[in-house]
Each structure stands twice: as C-alpha cells, then as structure tokens.
Amino acid sequence: MSDNVAPTVPAPPIPPSLRGWSGEFRATFALAWPLVIAQIAQNALQATDVIMMGWLGPEALAAGTLANSFLMPLFLFGVGVVGAVAPLTAQARGRRDIKAIRRVVRQGFWAAILLAVILAPIVLQIRTVYGWLGQDAALAARAEEYIQIAVLMLAPAMGVIVLRSLLSTFDASRVILVITVGGVIVNALGNYLLMFGNFGLPRLELRGAAIATTLTNLFMLGVMLTYVLRHRRFKRFNILIRFWKPDWPRFREIFRIGSPIGLTVLAEVGLFAAAAILMGRLGTDELAAHAVALQCASLAFMVPLGLGIAATVRVGIAYGRRDPEGIGKAGWTSFMLGTGFMAVSALSFILLGPAIVAIFLDPRLAENQNALVLAAAYLAIAGLFQLVDGAQVVAAHALRGLSDTKVPMFMAILGYWCVGLPVAWLMGFVLDLRGVGIWLGLAAGLAFVAVLLVGRFAMRERLGLLERIA
C-alpha cells in the first residue's frame, strides 16, 4: 500500500463521552489488566536474571548488578523516547488515519535504531567509568563481560516497546501479556542452558546471561512483528512498507515528545539510586531493609503503571477524535482505578508490613532481626506514599496522551531533585531520622510531583492543552 493513500481505520464505534462512565471503566479495565500483568512479568524477567546470577555466587551477582545498574538508566531513557509512539498512534487512531499510524511506527523503529547506535558506545565504557568511580577492578571487568554482549539487546528491546505501543493502541494488550510471559520462559531456559552449561552447552556464566537476555528480546520482537504483519487487524497498516523512506516531521515529533519522557524516567530512577547511596552510608541493615521495602513498593507500582499506559491510549484516542469530554473520562477513570488499588496496597503495607518483609528475610535468624524491624518501618512509610505514587504516574501518562511531556518533565525534576532528595538528606541526616527520614523524603518528592501533575491534568483546558482540538 502506498504512503500516498490515506484510508481510514475504524475508531471505536461509540465515543466514551457518549457511553458514560461505566463504558469507559470497562474499556479501560479491559485494556489495562493484561498490561499490569505484563509489567509484573517484565519484572519477573529481570528477577530471574538476579536469582540465577546469585546461583553463580556472590561475585557474579555483584558484577551482574553493577552491569545492570549502568545499563538500565540509559536503556530506560531510550524506552521513554520511543514510548512517544503510544500517544501518537492513539491520536492517529482517534483521527482514523492509517497512514499516520504506519509512519509513526516506522519512525519509531528508526528512533530505536538511532538510540541504540548512540547509547551502545556509552554503555561499552562501563569499565572505564567504574574505574573513575573507584569500583573494584575485578568486578568491573566481569561486569564488562556481561555488557559487551548485553549491549546488543538495546535495539530489539526498544523495538519491542514500539510494537507494544501499537498493540496497546488497538486494545491487543492480551497479546502483549502472552508474548511477555513467553519471554520470561525463554529467558529462564536460556539462562539455565548457557549460564550453567547444561545439556552439553558451554558454561558461559555472565556471558550466558547476556546472550539469553539478548535472545529473549529478539524472540519477543520477532513474535510481535510476526503477529502485526500477519494478523488481519494489523497487516493492513503495512508498517514495514518502504521502511527506508524517511518521515522527518514524525521522526522529530517522536524525539520532541519522547525525550522529555526519557528524562523524566531518568530523574525518577536517579532519585531512587541516590536514596540507595544514602542508605548505604547508614549501614548494611539499612540498605538491606531498603531493598526489601523498595521491591514491595515496585511490585505494587506495576498496577498504576499499567493503568497509566492504558490512560495514554484512551486519552490519546479521545484527543485524536476531538472529544474533550472523552479525554476527561479516560483520564479520571484511570486515575480512580490507580488510586483505588494503591489505597488497598497502602493498607496492606501498613497493617501487614512485618509479615510481608518476613517473606524476604528469615525471621528465625538473629542477624536479620534489625533489618526486619527497619524494613517493616520503611514499608509502612511506603504505604503512605502509595496513593501519591499511583496518582503521579497515572497523571503523567494521561498528559502524555495529550502530547504534553515537556512541562511535566520539569515538574518531575523539580519534585524529585529539589524537594525529594533535599528532604531525604535533611530528615535522614540533619534531623537524624536515618532511613525513616530518607523514605519520608521520597514520599515528599512523589507527593509534590503528584499534586502538580494531577492539577495540570485537571486544568488542561484552562492551560491551553486542548487548543488543537478546539
């Protein structure tokens, strides 16, 4: 199909603004729940690597952790940039414009390739950078072994995000879930075979883990691409036709919308990395307790994150359809679902904290007692910021559906680094609240960002965010 032809793609038969709140609730929930489970499965994929690296021994686990600590922030920046494909394809669906969808996806692949080419040389400097930071030379060398292969996963992994955005736009989130779960299985099997040399294969240890990670992303990209190219609902988009043909306006649009998303992700990841460094200054028990509480909070966060992705799609579709009422219903429905779940998780963390942390640290061991008490205290504070954490992520994603990412980026940087981190330092070290103070600082930063982002979405018309559909 030529790019000069602009057929239309059927929009949802009844606009959300005409179906009422219950219809929007059903549409959002149907789109979101597979995305939530897929996010949890994505976490399981990373957890599988950590567990199986641990089977190799503490040195391998430490080296793998160093490698991923260096790789993931850069990778997540790239994910944020190509994530701009989601609101752009959703808006195109609202306008019923097949040509725009095809071109956005195609330029999304271009962006993924360019970002991989730019980021790869930076990632490969891991040994040099850790040398400057005074990291153990032997661990840095082993981390470099992993990175030299894992760097190959950048392009396919970001390509997966491009296709996930397209599939989410057309409510095919169950396909995303199935393929992600398949990726977890492929990754675990690859680790088992290549890390440990089972079934006659060479024992490659960390290199084996890197190969498995790369193959897993290639597998997920291949399956998603095959589905999109062959399924009757998606093959009409012909996303690879004239793949070499540039569309510079849309290419620039992806970076214009996506770069602030990537920087927002970096700001948040950086805040929690800085909190871990501060915890490390307090002692081993504090750092271990922090890791446990953060793992629990991260797991709960997958629910509003999945709902946020759904909000981007639902708001984007309404925005493309020039439906201001539908935009409001889509955004507030996701917001209510996200904060409702986080209220439940907050109560769980506050009331069941000791029982939850006992899953991670054996309460029968005397050396774990202090860490258990600290972890339960941190988890209780994590419960307090569950509501604002859910609110800020859903609001940010709803604004992305309006292609509004630059101002939210500045709000996030301001909240995380000018409020959250200073408050954590003040309360943790100046007021001597130690780990509790650091967690209160995290809560303050998240609350500040949540108020700004929710307020911005609530005032979207007054702030001129809907001018393009007026």
Side-chain angles (χ1 to χ4, degrees):
M1 185 180 297
S2 170
D3 274 355
N4 296 321
V5 181
T8 60
V9 56
I14 303 176
S17 57
L18 300 180
R19 289 187 308 190
W21 287 94
S22 61
E24 182 59 42
F25 177 91
R26 288 192 297 271
T28 299
F29 185 79
L31 174 61
W33 76 259
L35 293 174
V36 169
I37 300 176
Q39 289 299 134
I40 295 172
Q42 190 72 34
N43 266 18
L45 192 152
Q46 297 165 4
T48 301
D49 283 347
V50 172
I51 291 170
M52 299 181 88
M53 285 177 185
W55 294 352
L56 292 172
E59 184 180 333
L61 177 58
T65 301
L66 280 179
N68 279 312
S69 296
F70 191 77
L71 172 65
M72 291 312 293
L74 295 169
F75 169 63
L76 290 174
F77 169 77
V79 167
V81 175
V82 299
V85 171
L88 292 174
T89 52
Q91 292 165 17
R93 183 190 179 189
R95 298 192 305 271
R96 298 184 292 176
D97 185 351
I98 279 185
K99 183 170 70 173
I101 292 170
R102 175 168 61 252
R103 289 182 169 181
V104 167
V105 172
R106 185 170 65 202
Q107 297 309 301
F109 283 131
W110 277 42
I113 294 168
L114 176 62
L115 285 164
V117 170
I118 293 172
L119 294 176
I122 301 173
V123 172
L124 290 173
Q125 299 305 310
I126 180 171
R127 191 172 182 178
T128 302
V129 173
Y130 276 141
W132 292 339
L133 297 175
Q135 189 58 246
D136 180 86
L139 285 180
R142 293 203 67 182
E144 185 180 43
E145 291 179 8
Y146 178 89
I147 285 294
Q148 286 173 339
I149 298 172
V151 70
L152 299 175
M153 58 82 74
L154 287 173
M158 286 186 280
V160 168
I161 299 302
V162 172
L163 291 176
R164 281 182 55 159
S165 299
L166 173 63
L167 292 168
S168 298
T169 294
F170 287 88
D171 309 315
S173 51
R174 295 188 187 187
V175 177
I176 297 172
L177 171 58
V178 171
I179 294 173
T180 306
V181 171
V184 174
I185 296 171
V186 169
N187 187 64
L189 181 61
N191 282 345
Y192 180 75
L193 295 175
L194 297 172
M195 289 174 68
F196 305 101
N198 289 305
F199 293 99
L201 293 173
R203 181 183 175 92
L204 300 176
E205 299 197 347
L206 287 180
R207 287 183 177 273
I211 293 171
T213 297
T214 303
L215 291 177
T216 297
N217 282 283
L218 286 170
F219 163 80
M220 291 193 293
L221 177 64
V223 175
M224 281 189 186
L225 188 58
T226 300
Y227 181 86
V228 169
L229 293 177
R230 295 180 63 87
H231 193 278
R232 61 180 179 83
R233 193 180 183 196
F234 292 97
K235 67 180 182 180
R236 56 185 165 165
F237 298 133
N238 292 294
I239 62 171
L240 296 185
I241 192 171
R242 297 186 180 181
F243 184 79
W244 60 88
K245 184 179 180 181
D247 187 335
W248 298 121
R250 285 187 173 86
F251 186 74
R252 289 191 293 270
E253 185 78 350
I254 287 173
F255 278 89
R256 184 187 71 80
I257 296 172
S259 295
I261 297 174
L263 291 172
T264 299
V265 173
L266 273 182
E268 186 169 6
V269 170
L271 173 66
F272 282 92
I277 293 171
L278 294 179
M279 281 291 184
R281 296 185 58 175
L282 296 176
T284 302
D285 286 345
E286 284 83 353
L287 187 57
H290 174 76
V292 170
L294 189 59
Q295 183 62 45
C296 296
S298 297
L299 182 62
F301 181 73
M302 293 302 105
V303 175
L305 178 58
L307 285 162
I309 296 170
T312 297
V313 171
R314 301 297 304 165
V315 169
I317 291 172
Y319 184 72
R321 192 171 45 225
R322 300 176 178 268
D323 181 5
E325 187 179 350
I327 290 171
K329 286 180 178 177
W332 293 121
T333 296
S334 296
F335 180 82
M336 288 186 289
L337 286 169
T339 53
F341 172 82
M342 292 306 250
V344 174
S345 68
L347 287 174
S348 301
F349 287 175
I350 294 169
L351 300 177
L352 303 175
I356 293 173
V357 299
I359 298 172
F360 297 86
L361 295 169
D362 190 344
R364 296 171 296 181
L365 300 178
E367 60 266 29
N368 287 345
Q369 296 309 306
N370 186 42
L372 281 164
V373 173
L374 291 170
Y378 300 162
L379 198 59
I381 300 170
L384 295 176
F385 77 56
Q386 288 293 290
L387 288 173
V388 293
D389 200 13
Q392 65 91 16
V393 70
V394 174
H397 278 79
L399 290 168
R400 290 172 194 175
L402 303 175
S403 296
D404 180 39
T405 58
K406 188 175 181 180
V407 172
M409 174 194 70
F410 289 118
M411 290 177 171
I413 293 173
L414 176 66
Y416 297 147
W417 287 93
C418 299
V419 177
L421 190 60
V423 171
W425 172 263
L426 175 67
M427 301 190 75
F429 294 91
V430 178
L431 301 181
D432 202 28
L433 294 179
R434 297 178 65 82
V436 169
I438 292 172
W439 273 80
L440 287 172
L442 295 176
L446 289 168
F448 183 87
V449 175
V451 170
L452 291 182
L453 293 179
V454 173
R456 185 167 177 82
F457 184 76
M459 299 175 64
R460 59 194 178 277
E461 293 189 58
R462 195 176 307 175
L463 293 173
L465 302 183
L466 305 187
E467 285 181 354
R468 289 172 57 186
I469 66 173

